[in-house]
Amino acid sequence: MLTFFNEQHAQHFGGTAHLVGSVQAELERRGLGQIVTPQSVPLTALERTHSPRYLAFLRNAWSESQAQAKFVGWPVVTANQLAIRTMRTDIEPEDLLARFGLYSMDTFTGIGAGTWSAAKGGADCAVNAAHALRVGERGTFVLTQPQGHHAGADFCGGYSYLNNAALAAQHLLDDGLAKVAILDLDYQHGNGAQGIFYERADVLCLSIHGDPRQTYPYFCGHADETGAAAGLGYNVNIPLAPGSNVQAWFAALETACIRLSMYRPEALVVALGGNIFLGEQHGGFGLAPADFLRLGERLAWLGIPTTFQLEGGTVRRELGTNIVNVLEGFDCAMA
């Protein structure tokens, strides 16, 4: 298992450095493959899944805020108004906070001094990890924060800024593959990839998650969202009711694996969340550490080159163990 490590992750505000550190320490303890830093990818690679004006906003928002006296001293800047139904989104407002509302899906995903550097470093890892599959690796892992799976083509949200899973999938297509799949296993719905690929048939998007009637992001992730236009039938949501146990979760995983086998992708991108653990305070489906090994083994049995992207999770003693158990289960079963 080749791991791509985002050295910029700690520049982002918040407690995500501890999440990465927990996984990194466990990887090093077990000696599960080499840990490398990625090569920087050009902005044009990011434009394959994100709009240029959104990327320009992400790159410049912090420096622009610090050029205005009222924001000096703020550790983070967030939206105070969102552009919702009937409002225009084609014209950028001049007011900075209004632009935050244009490019945000919530009011808690802010931008700090190191947010762009951390998000860009994660995107670099994702693209490099995808490319490694094209040159012979059977499995790669992206060790990064902030997470990415809630970020859309032109908005941030859910503490996500650049969609690492979507970037990896798109690079695999740009690098010559015809069919790729994304399997989102975070407790929350992978709304970002769904939106980016919803009308396309070259990326099958599957997500197993908590019922959006009770779980963020609330406004998508229902089972009847199956794609549109050319992508009709290529989006699969498997929402699980609150309190669903590990047996229900693995039954959903088997459903997803059967769909993957029918689609026969040439590569698989897994958005891996630690928040499906039985002790997770913000959700969880009852998975114990041994179940994460079982998960990795089941994905290996698909026989598809796979890149794993670290998504959400609460910093707990078991987090590193659980995430690395998936990777070890996959690695051993693929050997």
Side-chain angles (χ1 to χ4, degrees):
M1 179 68 62
L2 182 61
T3 294
F4 288 86
F5 175 63
N6 178 11
E7 293 182 337
Q8 311 301 320
H9 72 92
Q11 294 189 31
H12 182 58
F13 66 93
T16 58
H18 299 293
L19 191 156
V20 170
S22 173
V23 179
Q24 182 184 12
E26 187 65 16
L27 277 170
E28 292 173 345
R29 187 186 72 81
R30 297 195 208 180
L32 190 66
Q34 188 178 7
I35 301 177
V36 300
T37 56
Q39 294 183 354
S40 179
V41 302
L43 289 177
T44 52
L46 308 187
E47 291 174 357
R48 299 292 292 137
T49 57
H50 296 286
S51 73
R53 73 172 192 168
Y54 170 62
L55 294 173
F57 167 76
L58 278 185
R59 294 197 312 274
N60 300 320
W62 179 254
S63 61
E64 185 175 341
S65 74
Q66 297 309 287
Q68 300 182 36
K70 65 180 179 180
F71 294 116
V72 174
W74 288 29
V76 59
V77 181
T78 60
N80 63 359
Q81 176 184 343
L82 302 181
I84 62 169
R85 291 173 295 279
T86 75
M87 292 184 175
R88 292 187 65 172
T89 59
D90 59 319
I91 300 176
E92 277 191 325
E94 293 181 3
D95 182 84
L96 178 61
L97 286 184
R99 266 179 284 138
F100 268 84
L102 176 63
Y103 295 117
S104 302
M105 64 179 275
D106 56 43
T107 58
F108 57 80
T109 303
I111 292 178
T115 298
W116 168 254
S117 295
K120 174 58 164 59
D124 292 340
C125 287
V127 172
N128 278 254
H131 186 72
L133 298 183
R134 298 291 291 135
V135 294
E137 294 290 335
R138 299 292 292 172
T140 60
F141 175 52
V142 171
L143 180 53
T144 187
Q145 287 292 296
Q147 62 178 318
H149 74 142
H150 292 307
D154 58 358
F155 61 83
C156 58
Y159 304 117
S160 303
Y161 303 89
L162 296 173
N163 196 304
N164 298 325
L167 284 162
Q170 185 61 56
H171 177 79
L172 288 163
L173 294 170
D174 292 342
D175 207 29
L177 299 188
K179 294 195 300 183
V180 176
I182 296 175
L183 174 61
D184 195 301
L185 301 179
D186 192 272
Y187 184 77
Q188 298 170 341
H189 175 243
N191 63 285
Q194 171 172 305
I196 290 168
F197 298 113
Y198 202 65
E199 297 186 358
R200 292 170 50 175
D202 52 355
V203 179
L204 172 66
C205 292
L206 308 101
S207 181
I208 303 171
H209 51 269
D211 190 324
R213 289 174 295 182
Q214 292 88 23
T215 305
Y216 186 91
Y218 300 111
F219 304 109
C220 57
H222 297 280
D224 64 351
E225 298 161 22
T226 59
L232 184 61
Y234 293 93
N235 193 83
V236 180
N237 286 323
I238 309 177
L240 298 177
S244 295
N245 59 21
V246 65
Q247 290 79 18
W249 190 87
F250 271 102
L253 178 66
E254 194 59 31
T255 298
C257 287
I258 291 171
R259 184 67 179 88
L260 282 167
S261 296
M262 294 170 60
Y263 182 64
R264 300 179 66 183
E266 297 162 277
L268 174 63
V269 180
V270 176
L272 182 60
N275 49 14
I276 55 177
F277 177 55
L278 61 84
E280 172 64 33
Q281 69 185 53
H282 298 303
F285 289 121
L287 274 71
D291 294 314
F292 286 87
L293 277 168
R294 176 183 169 192
L295 163 59
E297 291 170 352
R298 180 62 185 93
L299 295 179
W301 294 339
L302 292 169
I304 307 169
T306 301
T307 181
F308 296 86
Q309 320 282 321
L310 180 62
E311 296 291 349
T314 301
V315 180
R316 297 178 54 90
R317 177 175 54 83
E318 301 90 347
L319 178 69
T321 298
N322 293 339
I323 294 298
V324 179
N325 276 358
V326 176
L327 305 178
E328 185 169 1
F330 180 89
D331 217 28
C332 291
M334 288 287 281

